[in-house]
């Protein structure tokens, strides 16, 4: 059994990006520039955005953080997006989600110029990805695909079960795993109304768990030798930690790991790859090249 080291892989990719940026600067080109809009002071969003800014530094990118209070109007946000769309010094930008209830997230997402949508959330990018055209692919599925590639895990012709059907992980993951030029696998998507999830999982060579239910996937659901990718990051109370909580994946790691050929841990598996893929998308945006894999 091999534990897939997402942290080490992410560090390696950030170093590769840094080298590429160094070469760009030596050629006299401008560094990639990522902007992030953060609304309010949600603890999770603050941490994510801080880590994105730090990743920009690690990669040699310029970054700009634009903050608004919780009472920002949708109009103000839309005006800021229009400004960023028109600013040639910004290669890509993100609006950190979730947004306050009075703001329509879909409207905001669709206002972003698809060529600067490094989150890959705009319907134009989602649709282009789904039919195999060059597009920005959202960071989590792209990170998982990259981990599978870097660990030389064969996916072509394999049976893959995706647990979960969210717009930012389950659906794009299933699309990518299905497509000939990426996963080339036979994909089954399971969700809360799938009656026989255990049987579906037992048939799978690759299981990608993204349902947000802590320790959902147990050893009795996994075929010996399977590859298991854990996308879950639920905070569960843990009195032994200074923070009072720990991150629990969707996989019961202790029981499942001994049965696997490869498994991603939580933390240190998929998580570190997501920000690193955002950096990769930003580099591509800078290079005006929307081929992202
Ligand atoms: N909130 C949680 N994850 C993400 C992400 O990947 N992008 C944005 N914009 N917001 C998020």
């Amino acid at each position: 059994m091999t534990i897939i080291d997402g942290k080490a892989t992410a560090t390696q990719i950030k170093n590769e990006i840094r080298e590429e940026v160094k070469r760009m600067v030596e050629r006299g080109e401008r560094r990639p520039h990522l902007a992030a809009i953060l609304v309010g002071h949600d603890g999770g969003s603050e941490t994510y955005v801080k880590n994105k800014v730090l990743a920009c530094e690690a990669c040699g990118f310029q970054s700009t953080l634009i903050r608004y209070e919780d009472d920002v109007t949708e109009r103000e946000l839309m005006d800021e997006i229009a400004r960023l769309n028109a600013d040639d010094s910004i290669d890509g930008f993100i609006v950190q989600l979730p947004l306050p209830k009075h703001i329509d997230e879909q409207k905001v997402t669709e206002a972003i110029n698809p060529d600067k949508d490094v989150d890959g959330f705009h319907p134009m990018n989602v649709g282009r990805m789904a039919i195999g055209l060059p597009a920005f692919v959202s960071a989590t599925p792209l990170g998982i695909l990259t981990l599978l590639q870097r660990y030389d895990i064969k996916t072509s012709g394999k049976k893959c079960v995706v647990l979960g059907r969210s717009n930012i992980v389950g659906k794009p993951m299933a699309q990518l795993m299905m497509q000939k030029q990426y996963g080339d696998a036979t994909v089954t998507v399971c969700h809360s109304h799938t009656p026989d999830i255990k049987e579906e999982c037992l048939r799978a060579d690759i299981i990608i768990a993204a349902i947000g239910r802590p320790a959902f996937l147990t050893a009795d659901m996994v075929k010996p030798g399977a590859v298991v990718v854990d996308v879950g990051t639920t905070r569960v109370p843990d009195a032994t930690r200074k923070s009072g909580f720990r991150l629990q994946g969707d996989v019961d790691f202790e029981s499942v790991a001994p049965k696997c050929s490869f498994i991603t841990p939580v933390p240190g598996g998929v998580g570190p790859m997501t920000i690193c893929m955002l950096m990769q998308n930003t580099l591509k945006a800078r290079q005006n090249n929307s081929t992202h894999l």
Side-chain angles (χ1 to χ4, degrees):
M1 184 268 296
T2 300
I3 295 179
I4 294 177
D5 191 339
K7 198 162 176 236
T9 308
T11 301
Q12 194 184 332
I13 292 172
K14 280 187 279 188
N15 286 339
E16 290 165 16
I17 294 173
R18 190 184 179 83
E19 287 304 307
E20 177 61 26
V21 171
K22 203 171 138 207
R23 284 192 290 273
M24 290 170 76
V25 172
E26 280 166 3
R27 288 196 299 266
E29 297 170 24
R30 181 174 59 70
R31 293 170 187 281
H33 185 180
L34 174 70
I37 299 179
L38 174 59
V39 177
H41 300 274
D42 171 76
S45 293
E46 291 269 1
T47 306
Y48 277 130
V49 170
K50 186 181 82 187
N51 288 334
K52 287 170 186 177
V53 170
L54 289 173
C56 281
E57 280 170 28
C59 293
F61 292 2
Q62 189 181 344
S63 68
T64 299
L65 174 57
I66 302 158
R67 280 179 171 276
Y68 286 97
E69 291 303 323
D70 274 322
D71 60 359
V72 64
T73 64
E74 193 176 273
R75 185 71 262 153
E76 284 174 290
L77 219 44
M78 296 293 274
D79 287 346
E80 184 62 58
I81 290 168
R83 196 187 68 71
L84 293 172
N85 281 340
D87 184 343
D88 287 340
S89 76
I90 305 272
D91 301 299
F93 66 97
I94 62 154
V95 180
Q96 187 66 27
L97 304 177
L99 292 171
K101 294 229 169 343
H102 65 279
I103 295 171
D104 182 342
E105 282 186 1
Q106 195 57 31
K107 191 170 163 189
V108 165
T109 300
E110 292 188 31
I112 298 172
N113 176 352
D115 293 337
K116 295 192 176 190
D117 170 39
V118 284
D119 259 335
F121 291 170
H122 191 289
M124 181 74 86
N125 281 314
V126 176
R128 288 179 62 91
M129 180 276 289
I131 58 171
L133 293 174
F136 287 114
V137 176
S138 70
T140 304
L142 186 58
I144 292 168
L145 219 49
T146 304
L147 280 179
L148 295 174
Q149 285 166 352
R150 293 220 169 197
Y151 275 79
D152 267 333
I153 295 168
K154 188 173 173 286
T155 57
S156 178
K158 301 290 184 188
K159 284 190 167 62
C160 174
V161 161
V162 177
L163 298 176
R165 54 179 162 182
S166 71
N167 286 341
I168 63 170
V169 186
K171 278 184 204 146
M173 193 73 245
Q175 290 282 0
L176 291 166
M177 287 305 286
M178 169 177 58
Q179 286 183 37
K180 191 170 181 65
Q181 70 268 41
Y182 305 131
D184 200 23
T186 302
V187 181
T188 303
V189 180
C190 298
H191 50 75
S192 52
H193 285 76
T194 303
D196 49 358
I197 291 191
K198 180 176 170 181
E199 284 66 35
E200 298 289 357
C201 287
L202 277 169
R203 278 194 286 272
D205 304 302
I206 302 165
I207 301 174
I208 301 172
I211 35 168
R213 284 165 66 177
F216 175 83
L217 190 79
T218 47
D220 59 314
M221 300 167 77
V222 178
K223 180 167 85 171
V227 176
V228 171
V229 176
D230 191 351
V231 189
T233 53
T234 308
R235 285 181 175 191
V236 298
D238 185 340
T240 68
R241 303 292 174 96
K242 206 166 66 183
S243 61
F245 69 85
R246 67 185 160 81
L247 286 185
Q248 171 65 54
D250 289 349
V251 177
D252 179 31
F253 186 87
E254 227 166 88
S255 75
V256 170
K259 291 189 89 173
C260 297
S261 54
F262 292 89
I263 187 167
T264 66
V266 174
V270 174
M273 291 297 290
T274 59
I275 290 184
C276 159
M277 292 297 103
L278 177 67
M279 299 299 116
Q280 191 174 293
N281 279 348
T282 305
L283 176 64
K284 299 284 183 187
R286 175 72 193 96
Q287 294 167 333
N288 279 338
N289 167 9
S290 24
T291 312
H292 299 290
L293 285 165

